[in-house]
Amino acid sequence: MNTLLRSLCLPWLLVPAFAAAEVPAVAVDIPPVHSLVDRVMGELGSPDLVIQPGASPHGYAMRPSEAEALAHADAVFWVSDALTPWLAGARESLADEALKVALMETAGTRQLAYRQGAALEIHAHDDHDHGHSHSHEGMDPHGWLDPVNAQAWLEAIAESLADLDPANADVYRRNASKGQAELETLVDELNDRLADARDARFIVFHDAYQYFETRFDVQALGAISLGDASDPSPARIRAIQDHVAELGVQCVFREPQFSPALVKSVFEGTGVETSLVIDPLGVDLPLNADLYPQLLRQLADGVVRCASEA
């Protein structure tokens, strides 16, 4: 009797494991992209993160477990090779058969050119909706900080996963649609929160926030480092110091993954508030679907706190 029961139950016991195996294995580059993919996958699964929280995406040495995640991926989502140039070779060698999606290249993504100079002048401005391939020399790759871009990316992620996993296509698309509606509400929330902080006068550690600034009509007055987080030259530091008094800077935002010593040395004795911390990656946030909206709320909170320093 026990043998008969086991033989009858065994096929049913195997169904969940088989169904789980049908869900694509997914690898992503940074925590905000992980959050968006996690939102789309929902209860079906979660992606593997290649660049761990707290690390700079501009330069990174993968661990064996992260290389293994790439090697086993059915799909790889990343922002842009402009953000992670080191990832291109690993991606091609380890995930050569995976579906690969550079999110900054997907339809509906707003692209902005890198800004230049300590005062963040914009050169060769390139602001457009993108639906075709061409050279993007000088493109600022921090596009995830515009939630309207994230809405487009949710759709691109859902459609990519739907192609790989037609059985769950409706789930991916439904989750993406819910995520887009949540981001629509978030945009209204942050616009309300920032309404009285538009005149905040701040400098950022590195020029990573242009998309957030443009979407919410706030403006960094300068950046200590360029958008690739490279070390600033002495001339750039002097230019930043000159701007402090000239522009009435209220505060400078530090980033948790970089030493505060540089910020302190640049602004010591100026009276500028240097204790505020913002982060384009959500370093201190739990790695889940809520990370992305919480990251944008943190940025808005930082600007509001800076405005209160007036």
Side-chain angles (χ1 to χ4, degrees):
M1 182 66 177
N2 289 339
T3 301
L4 178 60
L5 285 173
R6 283 197 298 270
S7 65
L8 291 173
C9 292
L10 184 59
W12 294 101
L13 293 173
L14 291 176
V15 167
F18 177 79
E22 293 298 305
V23 176
V26 180
V28 300
D29 55 353
I30 59 174
V33 173
H34 182 284
S35 180
L36 294 174
V37 174
D38 200 50
R39 183 69 184 87
V40 172
M41 295 185 75
E43 296 296 324
L44 296 175
S46 188
D48 291 312
L49 183 65
V50 171
I51 305 170
Q52 294 306 304
S56 172
H58 299 288
Y60 187 71
M62 283 193 300
R63 304 169 185 175
S65 60
E66 294 152 3
E68 185 178 0
L70 269 181
H72 288 100
D74 299 306
V76 181
F77 296 98
W78 77 102
V79 174
S80 167
D81 286 346
L83 182 73
T84 53
W86 56 271
L87 183 59
R91 192 176 59 243
E92 294 306 317
S93 62
L94 295 173
D96 57 320
E97 296 184 4
L99 174 66
K100 303 177 188 67
V101 181
L103 293 168
M104 285 297 295
E105 302 295 325
T106 57
T109 297
R110 186 187 205 186
Q111 296 179 352
L112 302 173
Y114 263 130
R115 300 181 288 194
Q116 305 296 325
L120 301 182
E121 298 90 351
I122 300 175
H123 294 266
H125 188 70
D126 181 18
D127 178 1
H128 59 281
D129 286 342
H130 178 70
H132 55 280
S133 297
H134 59 274
S135 173
H136 298 296
E137 183 177 355
M139 179 191 68
D140 182 343
H142 301 88
W144 67 89
L145 293 182
D146 181 346
V148 178
N149 278 354
Q151 287 178 311
W153 293 5
L154 286 169
E155 181 176 353
I157 292 164
E159 292 305 316
S160 298
L161 293 178
D163 287 344
L164 287 176
D165 182 14
N168 288 309
D170 288 345
V171 176
Y172 299 130
R173 289 171 177 143
R174 183 167 59 250
N175 289 343
S177 180
K178 289 180 180 178
Q180 288 173 321
E182 291 163 0
L183 291 181
E184 191 71 29
T185 300
L186 180 64
V187 169
D188 292 339
E189 173 194 326
L190 297 188
N191 271 318
D192 289 343
R193 188 176 300 188
L194 290 164
D196 296 325
R198 307 289 187 200
D199 295 329
R201 307 184 72 77
F202 60 91
I203 286 175
V204 295
F205 181 85
H206 89 290
D207 188 19
Y209 305 94
Q210 180 182 189
Y211 288 90
F212 182 87
E213 296 168 41
T214 302
R215 177 57 56 194
F216 294 106
D217 193 25
V218 295
Q219 178 65 59
L221 299 178
I224 298 173
S225 177
L226 291 170
D228 61 0
S230 57
D231 290 337
S233 67
R236 186 180 183 91
I237 290 176
R238 285 194 300 272
I240 284 286
Q241 291 169 329
D242 291 342
H243 285 313
V244 169
E246 176 188 343
L247 300 176
V249 174
Q250 298 163 267
C251 50
V252 57
F253 290 113
R254 295 190 284 109
E255 294 184 19
Q257 58 267 56
F258 297 103
S259 169
L262 177 59
V263 172
K264 184 177 179 181
S265 67
V266 173
F267 294 95
E268 192 169 18
T270 64
V272 172
E273 173 61 59
T274 62
S275 66
L276 300 179
V277 178
I278 62 172
D279 162 34
L281 296 171
V283 168
D284 297 325
L285 296 172
L287 193 63
N288 56 37
D290 292 329
L291 179 146
Y292 182 77
Q294 290 302 321
L295 166 62
L296 295 190
R297 289 187 177 100
Q298 283 190 347
L299 296 185
D301 286 345
V303 175
V304 170
R305 290 198 304 271
C306 181
S308 71
E309 295 294 324

